[in-house]
Amino acid sequence: MNGIPRRYHAAVWDQPLIMEQGGPGRRGTVPPAPIETAVDALPEGVRRTTPLALPEVAEPDVLRHYLRLSQQTMGMIGISLFGTCTMKYNPRVGELLAARDQLAEIHPHQDDASVQGLLEIVHEFDLMLRELSGMGRFIFQAGGGAAAAYVHACVTRAYHESRGELERRRDVITTAQAHPCNPATAAAAGFNVITLPVERDGYPSLDALRAVVGDRTAALMINNPDDMGIYNPHIKEWVDVVHEAGGLCFYDHANFNGVMGRIRAAELGFDACMFMLHKTFGAPKGGGGPAVGAYGCTPELEPFLPGPLVVRTDAGYERRENAGGVGRVREFLGNLPQVVKAYAWTLAMGADGIREAADISVLANNYMETRLLAIPGVTKSFDHLTARRLEMTRYSLGEYTEETGVTAVDIQNRMTDYGVDAFWLSHEPWIVPEPFTPEAGEGWSKEDIDYWIDVLAHVMEEGRADPELVRSAPHNQVVAQIDTASLDDPARWATTWRAYRRKNEREVTA
Ligand SMILES: Cc1ncc(COP(=O)(O)O)c(C=O)c1O
């Protein structure tokens, strides 16, 4: 790198919540008065008797508020080599498309005839994902990858119940390096979870799988490559073993970036898979709610899908309930603006572009790997394996931590002081000591990747020279270190204004 990393300091605004701003009568826009006849047509029981509890804020206040928030969060255009998430750049044109009146003004209760264009996009995008996976149908109701895994757990339950085998088939098998949402959603759906430990090759052996598969097996839930970037080459045999025992196989395709257009889940024998539109298809990040986990399955499992399904008829497109399905996992058809963004990304890329993006993400990762392993103190997980990692590699700072006392979390905190986004370590369990897993993806330039690596190298040197500087980081961010215990305490977090008020009031009266 030329010189030290760029100087950076976040703007600190101590910004109040938008709900706490403004005052009576302040306005940004004044909507036209309601049409009296339309109001009269509303049944008495559905008319509001009190005004909506919305903040009354003038346009400059609104602009200033969101500009300030973006200044506190690197404007969402920091270098975001997000770990174990196969993130990519979110093209801004997607936002323009989603903000168009034709989409933004649509109401989910409009009749099918008035939303034919949108239903066509949902159907066409479903066809594209079928092409990429070989599955029979996709739905977009789940609000993230974990929610799509939950759809699978519910579909598994319904499938075995329909065959009179649910009481016996209690086990869902996964591996220690599958994403935790796989065991978690299986458990939430009432299954017993069997987690196979990782062995010498970086994944559990086929023998370990055979030892736990049997007539109690309900499903295998797995991602491949796993979150260390290791591809299990025996995956087809795994699927065969589970199928022979009567279980279903679910492919968590969160790590799809390196294999897009190169492998198809159905050809490996899987019964179902999920894609994250916010990780692979250019829609913005946002697991667990504001995103989309696209869930696809073979025709055999289609009767169990949550409805409504979008179907094409001679008369056009329609939403149709799925009578035997597992019921809604979310309202309506899901977050359709994200589907439109992902559809636009897929159309713009085309089949060749998608394959090329997969190749570039693998190339970028391997370029990054070569440079990272040249930094003293960085080692690679399972470094005896000679096969190249795909779109990501898990590294370890274990030796460095022993040398300096500075941990991977400390290094991550300090890197944000140079304008680099967190989080790029690893989810639990930490099989590798002090793990980290940056993902170069296909969306980042060589300069960005180099900057990230240079910052890491610089911060590791800082940690050798002045461990306390790194341990007490971040110093240039909006907030310094926070006590993350609050994240595990539902009494202290709130995802809506109403919940925030309710919880704070409880604190006051407690
Ligand atoms: C392999 C894998 N599966 C599932 C998930 C969960 O996805 P989401 O965050 O959209 O719920 C992740 C998220 O990081 C992941 O890496």
Side-chain angles (χ1 to χ4, degrees):
M1 189 179 64
N2 306 322
I4 58 159
R6 250 171 250 143
R7 267 157 44 90
Y8 166 78
H9 200 298
V12 181
W13 288 106
D14 277 342
Q15 194 64 4
L17 299 177
I18 190 76
M19 302 301 283
E20 296 167 327
Q21 295 182 44
R26 292 211 203 161
R27 292 286 179 274
T29 50
V30 182
I35 304 164
E36 284 307 325
T37 47
V39 176
D40 290 345
L42 287 175
E44 196 63 41
V46 302
R47 294 187 201 177
R48 290 199 67 88
T49 51
T50 52
L52 266 178
L54 292 176
E56 298 181 68
V57 193
E59 186 176 86
D61 299 326
V62 175
L63 290 175
R64 207 177 288 140
H65 178 69
Y66 289 104
L67 176 71
R68 287 176 178 176
L69 291 188
S70 77
Q71 287 171 334
Q72 297 193 141
T73 53
M74 295 191 218
M76 290 294 286
I77 51 168
I79 301 176
S80 194
L81 304 190
F82 233 65
T84 75
C85 264
T86 51
M87 294 295 296
K88 54 173 77 227
Y89 176 67
N90 313 132
R92 287 301 184 258
V93 68
E95 301 304 321
L96 293 179
L97 293 173
R100 288 174 63 133
D101 283 356
Q102 293 95 324
L103 183 60
E105 300 282 304
I106 286 179
H107 194 281
H109 281 309
Q110 274 178 234
D111 59 25
D112 291 342
S114 66
V115 287
Q116 284 295 295
L118 185 57
L119 296 183
E120 182 176 350
I121 288 176
V122 172
H123 176 70
E124 288 291 318
F125 189 54
D126 170 14
L127 295 183
M128 290 172 180
L129 296 190
R130 292 186 205 183
E131 190 61 37
L132 284 166
S133 64
M135 291 295 155
R137 176 179 286 279
F138 276 83
I139 55 154
F140 306 107
Q141 213 177 68
Y150 183 62
V151 171
H152 183 71
C154 295
V155 166
T156 300
R157 206 169 48 192
Y159 169 79
H160 291 306
E161 191 163 31
S162 75
R163 298 158 61 96
E165 296 185 357
L166 183 61
E167 273 192 24
R168 171 162 57 90
R169 294 196 179 273
R170 302 308 312 153
D171 295 346
V172 168
I173 302 168
T174 187
T175 80
Q177 265 313 285
H179 188 271
C181 74
N182 291 290
T185 55
F191 289 106
N192 167 48
V193 176
I194 298 178
T195 304
L196 298 175
V198 172
E199 294 176 43
R200 200 179 168 278
D201 288 338
Y203 46 83
S205 63
L206 200 52
D207 285 345
L209 176 69
R210 284 206 182 96
V212 295
V213 166
D215 62 2
R216 282 179 52 86
T217 304
L220 171 73
M221 294 177 74
I222 194 169
N223 48 292
N224 192 34
D226 69 11
D227 283 355
M228 290 185 294
I230 298 173
Y231 187 85
N232 177 349
H234 307 297
I235 194 67
K236 203 162 180 331
E237 289 151 275
W238 276 53
V239 169
D240 291 345
V241 165
V242 173
H243 278 167
E244 274 159 29
L248 295 174
C249 295
F250 168 70
Y251 200 158
D252 166 351
H253 249 325
N255 303 339
F256 191 51
N257 281 12
V259 293
M260 299 184 293
R262 300 282 174 205
I263 60 170
R264 303 202 322 153
E267 282 162 19
L268 292 169
F270 281 92
D271 307 286
C273 73
M274 60 121 149
F275 295 118
M276 273 91 123
L277 305 193
H278 49 299
K279 291 180 182 170
T280 306
F281 292 88
K285 170 67 185 162
V292 174
Y295 177 79
C297 64
T298 57
E300 196 187 359
L301 295 184
E302 202 177 306
F304 308 105
L305 283 175
L309 306 176
V310 174
V311 289
R312 187 181 180 167
T313 69
D314 289 344
Y317 298 92
E318 63 180 50
R319 283 165 284 188
R320 205 177 275 171
E321 287 305 330
N322 201 23
V326 298
R328 303 269 194 281
V329 290
R330 193 189 178 92
E331 308 85 358
F332 309 112
L333 292 175
N335 288 325
L336 292 191
Q338 308 293 54
V339 173
V340 172
K341 292 173 202 172
Y343 173 70
W345 180 88
T346 311
L347 271 185
M349 297 293 282
D352 289 344
I354 286 176
R355 264 191 297 272
E356 190 184 348
D359 294 350
I360 291 174
S361 74
V362 176
L363 180 68
N365 181 48
N366 282 281
Y367 167 74
M368 191 172 197
E369 185 178 305
T370 307
R371 279 210 57 201
L372 283 175
L373 292 178
I375 300 175
V378 174
T379 58
K380 179 175 160 182
S381 58
F382 295 85
D383 61 355
H384 61 282
L385 300 179
T386 50
R388 285 208 187 284
R389 300 292 158 95
L390 295 178
E391 86 298 341
M392 64 179 165
T393 304
R394 177 152 300 154
Y395 305 90
S396 168
L397 289 177
E399 289 177 10
Y400 173 81
T401 303
E402 271 180 31
E403 174 198 333
T404 59
V406 174
T407 65
V409 172
D410 299 332
I411 296 279
Q412 174 177 256
N413 284 344
R414 178 64 179 150
M415 281 179 72
T416 67
D417 281 341
Y418 294 104
V420 169
D421 279 327
F423 175 95
W424 38 265
L425 300 180
S426 161
H427 53 68
E428 306 285 345
W430 280 13
I431 288 174
V432 174
E434 302 301 321
F436 72 101
T437 327
E439 288 189 49
E442 104 282 359
W444 301 104
S445 66
K446 182 171 171 300
E447 292 78 24
D448 280 346
I449 297 170
D450 282 335
Y451 182 73
W452 197 96
I453 297 167
D454 293 340
V455 173
L456 177 77
H458 179 80
V459 168
M460 285 177 71
E461 278 315 309
E462 283 185 334
R464 285 192 173 96
D466 183 357
E468 202 39 44
L469 171 77
V470 179
R471 270 197 230 111
S472 54
H475 306 288
N476 301 340
Q477 281 294 342
V478 182
V479 286
Q481 286 181 13
I482 53 166
D483 173 11
T484 52
S486 62
L487 300 177
D488 290 330
D489 178 5
R492 281 194 278 166
W493 48 253
T495 50
T496 65
W497 168 242
R498 218 183 292 176
Y500 175 81
R501 260 196 330 198
R502 182 167 36 81
K503 289 180 181 183
N504 278 347
E505 274 159 21
R506 195 171 51 201
E507 257 170 40
V508 171
T509 51

